[in-house]
Amino acid sequence: MTKLNKAALACLFSVGLATGAQAEPYRLGVLTDMSGMNFDLSGKGSEVAARMAVEDFGGTLLGEDVEVIVGDHQNKPDVGSTLARRWIDEENVVAIVDLPTSSVALAVQEITRQSDTALLISTGGSSELTGASCSPSTAQWTWDTYALANGTGRAMTLEGDKNWFFLTVDYTFGHALEADTTAAVEAAGGSIVGKVTHPRETSDFSSYLLQAQASGADVIALANSSGDTMTALKQAEEFGITAAGQDIAGMLLFLTDVHGVGLEIAQNLTLTTAFYWDMDDDTRAWSQRFAERMDGKMPTMVHAGVYSAVLNYLKAAEASGQATSGSQVMETMRGMDIDDFFNRNAYLRKDGRVVHDMYLVQVKTPEESKGPWDYYKVLRTIPGDEAFRSVEQSACPLLDD
């Protein structure tokens, strides 16, 4: 290198230091499932939703460009942790988004806690994320196991389904959903008559379903998700379980799950959701934009949650004057109005829980549906303060400050 070039480089470097110029854009990392059982409900759609939010915000943050990058954590905590560390240390990622699979979300949350990086969880649902494991740089945006249990479990028990049997996926999310639903059912006057666990991505539920059928329970609760839920629903139909009088409760059902199994199997199921695309003009307008990029597929609550989380993060980061401290951005967000097509009556608590309205819905019959993706009837709006765990019930140590 010539003396002139060295001098020019030194000059540029000194100007950069003096002006605070950033060497590379701010990046948002969508850490999701791009190849496994959660692909349809999150996956590519979560990437699209994040990009839409950045575009709608204007594409820059504090005068610098914003980029979206994507990683496939393969539903493995070690893979997710490795990606998160590399992004934060080497690629100027200031926020990590989505996080399907609660075990991955919990592992990554420890990394973002240590680095003070914003974590915007839309798919990971364990209520532990805002309980004892809570972090000042996390926002759990869309749903959690407590809200699902308090919605579906409580409603079905109060309607007369008193005795419950659980088919529970054997990892963090399943156990949290079973525990939260058990508490909701028992508080409403019901009881648990039995339970059985199964590994993830089970292809044969026959032995589990036969145990549930033999229990005589009013409700067989599927404390699992995505591919496992769809497989269990299809095989329950083959066994004639609902025809014989027992109800099936899909404790976590996404719009893509209903689409996957079809209305003939899913009809009349009651479930709790944070979002439905066909609720009003605002949800329909955003969902149509999303569908144009997704070959006509309508968004799940996860996709809508990713968009909302990213957009509100960018607003809070801009308002706070910096983007590198996730905890400071969250503190700013707690003082802001969170109001968009996804969030109704929303606010961010100190434990990281975004409190907003949830919805108790019922899957339409084939005769009621007017076409593809017209799948839900909204039975009831559940106010956020009723849907989510109260501050008094939380084990989050941040609430003690």
Side-chain angles (χ1 to χ4, degrees):
M1 182 180 291
T2 66
K3 291 183 179 180
L4 180 62
N5 285 340
K6 287 181 179 179
L9 183 61
C11 181
L12 286 171
F13 182 69
S14 64
V15 169
L17 289 177
T19 62
Q22 189 170 301
E24 56 184 333
Y26 291 120
R27 294 191 175 95
L28 308 180
V30 179
L31 191 53
T32 189
D33 179 358
M34 296 296 286
S35 58
M37 63 189 295
N38 297 306
F39 175 76
D40 280 341
L41 65 93
S42 57
K44 179 67 176 178
S46 292
E47 176 190 352
V48 166
R51 293 190 186 282
M52 288 174 66
V54 171
E55 291 167 12
D56 289 350
F57 188 72
T60 63
L61 174 62
L62 300 172
E64 301 291 346
D65 290 340
V66 179
E67 292 182 355
V68 174
I69 62 175
V70 184
D72 183 359
H73 61 47
Q74 302 172 41
N75 298 302
K76 298 176 181 178
D78 59 335
V79 174
S81 297
T82 299
L83 277 169
R85 284 195 186 95
R86 190 184 76 217
W87 281 354
I88 294 166
D89 293 344
E90 301 176 13
E91 300 188 44
N92 203 39
V93 166
V94 294
I96 296 178
V97 187
D98 195 15
L99 278 296
T101 308
S102 293
S103 56
V104 177
L106 285 162
V108 172
Q109 182 166 248
E110 288 307 305
I111 294 167
T112 56
R113 184 203 312 277
Q114 295 164 14
S115 61
D116 194 19
T117 302
L119 183 63
L120 308 171
I121 302 171
S122 188
T123 312
S126 172
S127 57
E128 176 72 10
L129 288 157
T130 55
S133 298
C134 65
S135 166
S137 61
T138 291
Q140 192 174 19
W141 206 265
T142 303
W143 63 280
D144 64 27
T145 53
Y146 183 94
L148 299 187
N150 199 40
T152 307
R154 183 173 183 273
M156 293 185 71
T157 304
L158 291 176
E159 288 173 6
D161 288 324
K162 299 294 186 182
N163 299 317
W164 289 59
F165 187 103
F166 283 95
L167 269 66
T168 302
V169 64
D170 192 13
Y171 80 104
T172 306
F173 155 74
H175 295 299
L177 183 53
E178 180 190 301
D180 285 335
T181 306
T182 295
V185 167
E186 292 178 343
S191 62
I192 310 305
V193 299
K195 56 186 177 181
V196 64
T197 59
H198 67 83
R200 294 191 68 189
E201 301 189 55
T202 297
S203 60
D204 184 2
F205 278 87
S206 57
S207 65
Y208 310 123
L209 289 169
L210 287 172
Q211 291 180 61
Q213 193 173 36
S215 74
D218 300 321
V219 182
I220 300 172
L222 305 179
N224 49 26
S225 65
S226 55
D228 285 331
T229 299
M230 288 190 283
T231 301
L233 285 171
K234 291 174 182 177
Q235 293 180 11
E237 176 74 10
E238 294 169 3
F239 277 97
I241 287 176
T242 54
Q246 288 177 295
D247 290 329
I248 303 288
M251 296 309 301
L252 176 59
L253 272 175
F254 293 93
L255 192 72
T256 46
D257 298 331
V258 174
H259 188 77
V261 300
L263 292 181
E264 284 290 346
I265 292 175
Q267 62 181 304
N268 297 319
L269 284 172
T270 300
L271 61 117
T272 302
T273 186
F275 172 81
Y276 179 46
W277 72 270
D278 198 20
M279 285 184 59
D280 57 35
D281 289 344
D282 290 338
T283 59
R284 283 188 286 272
W286 183 83
S287 299
Q288 290 294 342
R289 289 176 54 208
F290 175 91
E292 288 171 4
R293 302 187 182 203
M294 287 292 292
D295 299 322
K297 295 179 181 178
M298 287 298 171
T300 65
M301 64 173 170
V302 161
H303 300 141
V306 165
Y307 175 93
S308 176
V310 170
L311 186 64
N312 283 279
Y313 164 81
L314 292 170
K315 290 178 180 178
E318 189 79 28
S320 70
Q322 60 82 45
T324 57
S325 170
S327 59
Q328 289 186 35
V329 174
M330 296 305 169
E331 184 63 29
T332 299
M333 194 184 298
R334 279 191 282 275
M336 295 171 55
D337 289 333
I338 301 175
D339 184 18
D340 51 41
F341 73 90
F342 172 81
N343 285 291
R344 313 293 169 94
N345 304 308
Y347 60 94
L348 174 62
R349 284 195 325 214
K350 197 169 183 179
D351 60 356
R353 178 65 259 169
V354 177
V355 177
H356 52 73
D357 291 349
M358 297 285 287
Y359 306 96
L360 188 69
V361 304
Q362 186 176 57
V363 179
K364 291 182 175 181
T365 65
E367 293 74 27
E368 291 172 322
S369 175
K370 298 176 182 177
W373 305 104
D374 178 28
Y375 295 153
Y376 293 166
K377 296 180 289 186
V378 178
L379 303 178
R380 177 180 172 232
T381 297
I382 308 172
D385 288 333
E386 177 186 326
F388 293 100
R389 180 174 53 201
S390 69
V391 167
E392 292 73 24
Q393 294 171 300
S394 177
C396 173
L398 298 174
L399 297 172
D400 298 331
D401 296 342

